[in-house]
Amino acid sequence: MFFGPFAESVIARAVKRKIVEINTVDLRDFTHDKHRSVDDKPYGGGPGMLMTPEPIFEAVESLRTAESCVVLPGPGGEVFTQKTAMEFSKLKHLIFLCGHYEGIDERVREGLEAREISIGDYVLTNGNLAAMVMVDAVVRLMPGVLGSEESGVSESFSEGLLEYPQYTRPEVFRGMKVPDVLLSGNHGQIEKWRKEQALRKTKKVRPDLIRPAKK
Ligand code: ADE
C-alpha cells in the first residue's frame, strides 16, 4: 500500500536524492508463532481483535535510536497541522506505528511513549493512509526537497492564511476573466490584492484560523 505514493513525485525525488530514507517493516516478522499472529481477543470481552503488544515492541526496539520519535496515527490523538509537519521535518527519525483503529493494546501507547496523532476528525480503517499523509507533508519541508520555485514558503497555512487565487492563460476562459490587477504589472497592487484575497477566503471558509476558538 505504501509503495505507490512513495514512488511518486516529490517523495520519490527526495528518496532518490538521499535526503530521506523510507522503510516499511512488517510486524509479522517480529512474531514467534506458527501463524505469525499480531492480534488477539480483548480481555473483558467485546467485538473485534486487538493488536498484541509483543511484535510492536520488538519491531520498535529493533529500529529505535536515541533520536527516534514514535508516532501512533489514531483519531484520538492531537491534530496534525503544518506546525507538526515543520517540527517533524527537523527530526532525525520518525517511526509510524500503523495499527487498526481502536485495536491496539493500551500498553503500546504507554510503554513506547508513542505520540498519538490524528490527521482529522474522521475515522479511517487504519493508520496507513494517515502515516502516508504525514510523511508527505513532512518530506516536502525537508531542506533540498523542493526547489526554490516550488518552495513551500508562500503556501496555504505557512503564513496562517489560505492561499490567494491564482490564474494562468487564457486571459478569458468560458467568460471568466483573469482579474485586471494581475495583468497590470503593478507589483505593489498585486501583492496588496493577494493579501486581501487570502484574508477574504480565510475569513469565509476557515475563520478559526484567524480567531482561534477561545477555550
Ligand atoms: N486512524 C484512523 N483514523 C485516523 C485519523 N483520523 N488520523 C490518524 N490515524 C487514524
Side-chain angles (χ1 to χ4, degrees):
M1 176 165 189
F2 292 84
F3 296 119
F6 291 166
E8 289 288 327
S9 183
V10 169
I11 299 190
R13 205 170 62 201
V15 170
K16 207 168 157 200
R17 288 186 190 160
K18 301 198 189 317
I19 296 169
V20 66
E21 195 184 310
I22 304 176
N23 298 303
T24 53
V25 167
D26 186 351
L27 286 178
R28 289 190 196 280
D29 294 342
F30 296 86
T31 54
H32 304 286
D33 63 315
K34 200 171 92 197
H35 301 289
R36 310 215 306 151
S37 45
V38 291
D39 57 3
D40 209 335
K41 290 186 292 245
Y43 278 118
M49 299 285 272
L50 288 188
M51 294 187 67
T52 58
E54 294 102 321
I56 300 179
F57 271 67
E58 283 194 30
V60 170
E61 281 159 0
S62 78
L63 302 166
R64 190 176 223 173
T65 71
E67 296 179 306
S68 307
C69 172
V70 181
V71 177
L72 181 62
E78 57 181 293
V79 176
F80 184 79
T81 65
Q82 191 67 13
K83 197 165 156 235
T84 327
M86 278 190 215
E87 187 192 324
F88 283 0
S89 72
K90 294 180 184 119
L91 300 181
K92 275 261 180 278
H93 187 205
L94 288 162
I95 300 173
F96 292 93
L97 278 180
C98 302
H100 197 276
Y101 149 71
E102 87 183 336
I104 289 193
D105 188 289
E106 185 60 28
R107 288 165 293 187
V108 169
R109 283 187 192 83
E110 244 174 74
L112 291 176
E113 289 171 17
R115 193 160 153 190
E116 192 171 5
I117 300 199
S118 165
I119 62 158
D121 292 339
Y122 39 79
V123 177
L124 301 168
T125 306
N126 55 45
N128 297 2
L129 285 170
M132 285 186 259
V133 165
M134 289 189 256
V135 168
D136 186 278
V138 169
V139 168
R140 60 203 307 290
L141 292 176
M142 295 174 71
V145 172
L146 295 185
S148 54
E149 290 241 317
E150 26 173 29
S151 151
V153 174
S154 70
E155 285 177 321
S156 288
F157 298 118
S158 58
E159 288 161 46
L161 295 178
L162 301 182
E163 210 170 6
Y164 50 78
Q166 303 211 76
Y167 300 84
T168 182
R169 280 188 286 197
E171 208 177 299
V172 182
F173 174 69
R174 299 197 177 183
M176 297 175 279
K177 194 178 172 320
V178 175
D180 287 335
V181 62
L182 298 179
L183 310 171
S184 69
N186 183 331
H187 294 290
Q189 284 295 320
I190 292 172
E191 179 91 341
K192 186 164 162 269
W193 181 86
R194 285 178 168 167
K195 278 204 178 117
E196 283 164 6
Q197 293 295 316
L199 194 60
R200 177 187 292 189
K201 179 160 187 207
T202 311
K203 272 185 183 157
K204 190 167 167 216
V205 299
R206 292 293 308 277
D208 57 299
L209 292 178
I210 296 175
R211 283 175 272 107
K214 288 207 178 87
K215 302 236 163 65

